[in-house]
Amino acid sequence: MDSATQRVVCADGDHFNPVVTTAMQMSAILVISQIFHLILKPLGQPGPVAQILAGLVLGPTLLSRITSVREFFLQDSSKDYFQVSDFLCRVIFMFSIGLETDVLYIWRNLGRASTIAYGGVIVCAIFGASVSFYIIHQLQIVNEKFGFYIVVMVILANSASPVAIRMAAELKFETSDIGRLAVAASLINEMSCIIFYSSYYALIAKPSKIKTGLLYLLYTIMLIVANKYISYWFNRRNRAKKYVTNAEVLLILFIIVTLSMLIEGNGFNSTLFCFIIGITFPREGKTTRTLLQKLSYSVHNFILPIYFGYAGFQFDVSRFDLKKGIVIMVLILLSISGKIIGTLAACHYLKMLQTEAIFLAAILNLKGHADLLLIQNNPNTTTWWGTDIHSLFVVVIVLNTIIAGPAVAYIMKREEKFFCHSQTSLEMHDPEIELRMLSCVYGARNVNGAVNLISALSGSQIAPITPYLVHLVELPKRRKSKTLLYNQLEDRDQFSDEEDYGGNDVLEINEVVDRYTLATKAPVRRIKLVSSAEALHEDVCNSAEDLRLSIIFLPFHKHQRIDGRLETTKESIRTTNSKVLRHAPCSVGILVDRWHTGFQQPHGTDLVQHVAALFFGGPDDREALACSKRIADHSRLNLTVIRFLPSSTTNEQQQQQQQQQQQQQQPPQQKPVWVDESSKNNNVKDEVLMAISSQETETELDSCFMDDFYSRYVSTGLVGYIEKYVNDGTETAAALRDVGDTYSLYIVGKGGRNYSPMTTGMSDWEECPELGTVGDLLASVDFDVHGSVLVIQQHRRSSKEIIDD
């Protein structure tokens, strides 16, 4: 038996097959990490901390000190297998992280994220260079001192982006502004450290590798270009399928793994290569969706826990004395203080709050990725590098993460208001900042209307939008409720009854979204919610809170037939919509989509459509007008605001005042009891005054909001403006009938107008209260309007939320 075969079976001196040992190591890390996670999760601790602790318990620090455990887990031959597994895991999860990265957000916030990242990097690098003299003296390093300086600087300055991303997902702050900024800064920090060390390795440590490095850079550029054609080809080959084939997925991964092996075989780090390939991979089409579906579940549930657990498994303090313990404490303190000082300085320059700066510093102090790769693949192993120094740096990296993880959880718990869902409506939403919206579809009939809204609201070049499209699937009563991400649920290898979860609607929804994404290059994040009809609204509301949305768009429970009339699709849709309107944590819009005669997708056509925003007054109409601001900048849409005003405002105000005075003068109609009548009359007056004050406040808010809108949009010629004077609901209906087919989309508030003479009598023929008085009239089959209707309800904030602010 040759040496290679003998090592595969069982090496000399080993008691167990190394393949079995490696598999058992991974299994034990997963089991112990799950136990720790169950214990620490109620305390608010994230998953990576539990996984690192699991590896620490299993490693030579605790359980592996037992002779039988050590002989099984710490075999020399199993190290090669674990290193290969570690390499494959690293390649896959860095490629997956690149695919999931929000490139547009990083590009928009590149300056802020870079300032925060480099603030900590520079201070930590200075601290690392300063303390290296002391460490070199303590560890008695004689040769290659400059290389040691570089290693210490990189270890202190680095931030592990996979740990930060995983922690953000575990603690549910990945969609908050501060969380996304922290993830972006962590990615910039780590990639900068990798580039810095790779440059040192190619230019100073191994000058002969410069040509090789440039060659691999050329290969990377060629693969980026080739991926666009490969993705396009795979999408065309599988046009009638939901996903590309497994063979095509394996071909892409094989190319990436092969090039990564060549890069690492020459001493370079393939992390940056895999991340760049992932972040530049074409986002549109079935290829990317299949890759995410195949990789996401395994990466988040198996690969990353094993990777973090192996970091803790390398933790070994058995060889350390007091001198090395002091070195460890000094490095940890310098890493923490350097990140805090550098991040505080950067945030002060960016005029950010001190609490946010401390939180960002804690996130950026997470370690355990590029720094571990650095100490495992150091080029100077023949000089000063040895087992003791390797173990020392591992201890520093692991302890940094174990300290930073609970610190992040503590800050989140203490300063909850910085991470809560605050942008719950559009009225106070700056139209130039990011809009986070969710368009819901119940089936293939609704997807065109949902995508049309996304297209209409994304017309501005300076106002970013982050759209989510959720497919709501009603689960049969015999099944248990299940809420999964889109790419987790649609796995035909796991579910044999996949057709029950959306069926062929999934293919049509994907086709429409892919066509829009291909035309606009704007990503639409897709989610599928599968639940019972009774609980479906809860999943929508929970998703809105987790995603920190400002508005939810729901499809109307009726669809347009070919003859133009509306027909009920499913009565349970109406029930779900009504529940969402009552319980949503943000504003809600209901779209009556007349896709035959009404609003069409603005992108990809030369047709200019006319949109009307109807304004009667009240919070819902202000919300509808605020939503219209996003449409005003679209080059293919002409927005006109139609404001309805009472034709006899002065007389009506006088009549209302007389009615209020008569109510105040009327004696209370009650049986005689021992009550202080003067006190009671005062209470009645207070209630009347509060009602008058509330109505006056709403009127003032309407005037101020409209004046601001007029000065910004109407006076500049961007939006048209029409005033219509009416006395009652009959004249209002006649005025709406006059505009007829002029507009392809009507935007109006649901209600909340208190007493309005302009809509008096219109509710007598109300059929769908969820649309409000005006919206129900426009959606009525008896009303001669062929345009689509968008009815918006503003989120009503509770008194507790207002007090907290």
Side-chain angles (χ1 to χ4, degrees):
M1 184 183 297
D2 57 19
S3 58
T5 307
Q6 185 177 1
R7 290 184 65 194
V8 171
V9 178
C10 191
D12 295 335
D14 291 340
H15 302 284
F16 301 94
N17 189 303
V19 178
V20 176
T21 301
T22 303
M24 288 301 297
Q25 280 180 336
M26 296 179 179
S27 302
I29 287 174
L30 289 174
V31 172
I32 298 175
S33 66
Q34 186 64 24
I35 294 174
F36 271 105
H37 187 55
L38 293 175
I39 296 172
L40 296 177
K41 187 176 181 180
L43 302 177
Q45 300 305 312
V49 173
Q51 291 146 11
I52 292 174
L53 288 176
L56 190 149
V57 169
L58 191 64
T61 301
L62 293 176
L63 289 181
S64 291
R65 295 177 70 91
I66 303 172
T67 304
S68 58
V69 177
R70 181 173 63 252
E71 290 178 352
F72 181 76
F73 282 120
L74 298 181
Q75 296 181 145
D76 292 335
S77 58
S78 65
K79 293 181 180 179
D80 296 335
Y81 291 90
F82 215 102
Q83 288 178 357
V84 173
S85 302
D86 176 77
F87 164 75
L88 293 175
C89 290
R90 186 171 70 252
V91 169
I92 291 174
F93 77 65
M94 285 309 300
F95 175 65
S96 177
I97 287 174
L99 281 176
E100 295 176 349
T101 298
D102 190 347
V103 183
L104 295 178
Y105 177 83
I106 294 179
W107 180 254
R108 291 196 304 265
N109 297 273
L110 185 62
R112 295 176 66 207
S114 300
T115 302
I116 294 169
Y118 291 134
V121 167
I122 292 172
V123 176
C124 285
I126 294 173
F127 283 179
S130 302
V131 79
S132 295
F133 297 97
Y134 168 75
I135 299 176
I136 286 174
H137 175 71
Q138 292 292 323
L139 301 180
Q140 298 179 354
I141 295 174
V142 179
N143 299 318
E144 298 290 345
K145 294 182 180 180
F146 183 74
F148 186 84
Y149 295 154
I150 298 296
V151 170
V152 173
M153 290 167 61
V154 172
I155 288 177
L156 293 185
N158 184 65
S159 175
S161 58
V163 184
I165 292 170
R166 186 59 181 165
M167 189 167 291
E170 288 275 347
L171 298 179
K172 294 186 177 181
F173 64 85
E174 59 181 340
T175 56
S176 66
D177 292 336
I178 189 68
R180 298 165 75 192
L181 186 62
V183 169
S186 179
L187 284 168
I188 294 172
N189 187 327
E190 184 167 48
M191 297 307 152
S192 299
C193 289
I194 292 174
I195 293 173
F196 173 74
Y197 187 79
S198 299
S199 301
Y200 157 75
Y201 176 72
L203 298 176
I204 299 176
K206 299 287 184 179
S208 59
K209 297 291 185 179
I210 295 178
K211 293 182 179 180
T212 306
L214 294 176
L215 181 62
Y216 288 133
L217 178 61
L218 178 61
Y219 287 161
T220 302
I221 296 173
M222 292 174 60
L223 184 57
I224 291 172
V225 176
N227 280 337
K228 295 182 178 180
Y229 295 98
I230 292 173
S231 175
Y232 177 75
W233 181 44
F234 286 169
N235 292 338
R236 287 181 60 87
R237 276 172 49 90
N238 300 275
R239 184 177 300 174
K241 299 179 182 178
K242 296 179 182 178
Y243 303 102
V244 301
T245 63
N246 292 332
E248 291 164 341
V249 172
L250 289 175
L251 176 61
I252 294 174
L253 295 180
F254 174 77
I255 296 173
I256 296 172
V257 170
T258 301
L259 284 177
S260 299
M261 290 177 64
L262 294 175
I263 291 172
E264 299 224 349
N266 283 274
F268 292 96
N269 194 320
S270 64
T271 298
L272 182 62
F273 163 77
C274 298
F275 178 74
I276 291 176
I277 295 300
I279 205 172
T280 57
F281 201 89
R283 293 296 198 268
E284 61 275 359
K286 299 178 176 63
T287 305
T288 302
R289 185 167 59 251
T290 307
L291 287 169
L292 288 172
Q293 179 262 329
K294 297 292 184 183
L295 299 179
S296 294
Y297 184 81
S298 58
V299 165
H300 293 301
N301 292 278
F302 296 101
I303 293 177
L304 285 179
I306 291 173
Y307 189 84
F308 298 148
Y310 185 58
F313 187 82
Q314 300 175 71
F315 188 95
D316 186 6
V317 295
S318 58
R319 297 188 179 92
F320 294 161
D321 52 15
L322 179 60
K323 184 183 298 185
K324 292 180 180 177
I326 293 174
V327 171
I328 291 173
M329 294 301 298
V330 168
L331 289 175
I332 293 175
L333 289 174
L334 288 178
S335 176
I336 296 173
S337 60
K339 289 294 183 183
I340 292 176
I341 294 172
T343 308
L344 278 172
C347 291
H348 178 73
Y349 172 76
L350 296 172
K351 298 181 180 179
M352 297 176 63
L353 298 176
Q354 185 176 354
T355 304
E356 295 175 330
I358 296 174
F359 175 78
L360 289 170
I363 287 289
L364 295 177
N365 200 48
L366 294 168
K367 302 184 185 299
H369 180 225
D371 34 26
L372 285 176
L373 300 178
L374 172 62
I375 62 178
Q376 289 171 3
N377 302 303
N378 196 276
N380 299 308
T381 54
T382 59
T383 54
W384 50 265
W385 197 263
T387 304
D388 291 346
I389 296 180
H390 177 275
S391 300
L392 183 146
F393 283 131
V394 168
V395 170
V396 171
I397 292 169
V398 172
L399 288 180
N400 255 299
T401 303
I402 291 178
I403 294 171
V408 171
Y410 173 75
I411 295 172
M412 279 199 62
K413 187 175 181 180
R414 182 179 177 180
E415 305 291 342
E416 187 177 357
K417 64 180 180 180
F418 288 108
F419 307 94
C420 66
H421 183 200
S422 58
Q423 293 286 353
T424 57
S425 63
L426 301 180
E427 181 181 352
M428 305 305 294
H429 196 287
D430 187 350
E432 294 185 359
I433 66 174
E434 181 188 36
L435 171 65
R436 301 178 65 83
M437 57 168 286
L438 179 70
S439 286
C440 300
V441 297
Y442 292 96
R445 281 194 182 101
N446 311 132
V447 66
N448 284 296
V451 172
N452 293 347
L453 276 182
I454 295 173
S455 175
L457 294 171
S458 59
S460 175
Q461 299 296 327
I462 60 174
I465 179 174
T466 301
Y468 293 86
L469 188 139
V470 59
H471 184 191
L472 304 178
V473 181
E474 183 179 334
L475 193 66
K477 293 184 178 180
R478 69 178 184 274
R479 301 189 184 275
K480 294 181 179 180
S481 176
K482 186 172 297 188
T483 303
L484 293 175
L485 286 179
Y486 195 92
N487 52 20
Q488 293 177 3
L489 185 62
E490 287 297 316
D491 189 352
R492 50 190 167 187
D493 296 330
Q494 296 179 19
F495 297 101
S496 59
D497 56 348
E498 183 194 8
E499 296 303 318
D500 293 339
Y501 298 98
N504 293 326
D505 284 349
V506 175
L507 184 61
E508 297 183 42
I509 291 171
N510 289 342
E511 185 67 26
V512 174
V513 176
D514 290 343
R515 190 163 56 245
Y516 168 77
T517 305
L518 183 64
T520 62
K521 306 301 179 183
V524 178
R525 296 155 181 81
R526 273 158 284 184
I527 302 172
K528 173 177 280 189
L529 297 180
V530 182
S531 184
S532 62
E534 295 78 10
L536 199 57
H537 72 283
E538 296 180 4
D539 295 334
V540 174
C541 295
N542 292 335
S543 298
E545 194 163 1
D546 291 340
L547 298 173
R548 291 171 172 82
L549 303 174
S550 296
I551 190 166
I552 301 171
F553 292 110
L554 298 167
F556 192 44
H557 68 278
K558 295 182 180 181
H559 64 273
Q560 189 182 32
R561 302 185 310 194
I562 297 178
D563 60 1
R565 299 182 68 85
L566 295 178
E567 183 179 54
T568 300
T569 305
K570 200 173 184 181
E571 195 61 33
S572 60
I573 296 177
R574 183 178 187 180
T575 305
T576 301
N577 288 351
S578 300
K579 291 180 179 179
V580 173
L581 283 169
R582 288 197 300 269
H583 302 288
C586 61
S587 297
V588 181
I590 296 182
L591 176 65
V592 182
D593 183 26
R594 293 188 172 104
W595 63 286
H596 287 298
T597 60
F599 189 64
Q600 306 295 323
Q601 182 177 319
H603 283 99
T605 178
D606 295 332
L607 177 66
V608 176
Q609 300 180 79
H610 298 274
V611 179
L614 310 181
F615 189 85
F616 293 86
D620 291 348
D621 280 346
R622 293 196 299 270
E623 190 75 1
L625 199 57
C627 182
S628 303
K629 293 178 182 179
R630 299 276 175 167
I631 297 178
D633 293 326
H634 203 292
S635 60
R636 296 298 174 190
L637 297 176
N638 283 340
L639 176 65
T640 301
V641 175
I642 303 176
R643 186 178 186 182
F644 288 82
L645 295 170
S647 57
S648 54
T649 306
T650 305
N651 294 333
E652 291 176 359
Q653 289 179 351
Q654 292 176 355
Q655 292 175 3
Q656 291 177 8
Q657 290 176 1
Q658 292 176 0
Q659 292 175 0
Q660 291 165 4
Q661 290 175 0
Q662 292 175 1
Q663 291 175 0
Q664 294 175 22
Q665 294 173 358
Q666 288 178 356
Q669 301 295 327
Q670 287 187 348
K671 294 181 180 179
V673 291
W674 294 101
V675 178
D676 186 354
E677 293 296 334
S678 62
S679 174
K680 185 173 181 181
N681 288 334
N682 288 334
N683 291 336
V684 172
K685 291 179 181 179
D686 291 342
E687 292 178 0
V688 173
L689 289 174
M690 289 176 62
I692 297 173
S693 176
S694 176
Q695 189 169 356
E696 290 178 351
T697 301
E698 287 296 329
T699 304
E700 291 177 2
L701 288 174
D702 292 340
S703 299
C704 293
F705 187 82
M706 181 56 73
D707 290 342
D708 179 71
F709 183 90
Y710 192 94
S711 61
R712 288 190 179 187
Y713 297 93
V714 179
S715 60
T716 58
L718 192 62
V719 175
Y721 181 78
I722 299 174
E723 288 184 352
K724 289 185 175 293
Y725 293 89
V726 295
N727 284 318
D728 51 25
T730 303
E731 293 186 8
T732 300
L736 291 174
R737 191 175 284 107
D738 289 340
V739 297
D741 297 331
T742 306
Y743 303 99
S744 60
L745 176 65
Y746 296 88
I747 304 176
V748 65
K750 176 176 178 288
R753 305 182 183 95
N754 294 324
Y755 172 76
S756 177
M758 296 179 290
T759 57
T760 302
M762 292 177 63
S763 60
D764 296 342
W765 54 80
E766 191 174 61
E767 181 183 359
C768 301
E770 66 270 22
L771 297 180
T773 304
V774 180
D776 179 74
L777 178 65
L778 293 172
S780 174
V781 295
D782 299 324
F783 200 72
D784 191 19
V785 172
H786 299 94
S788 300
V789 183
L790 177 61
V791 180
I792 296 179
Q793 172 186 278
Q794 187 182 65
H795 175 247
R796 309 295 200 264
R797 302 182 68 186
S798 64
S799 58
K800 182 180 182 299
E801 293 174 331
I802 297 173
I803 292 172
D804 289 341
D805 287 347

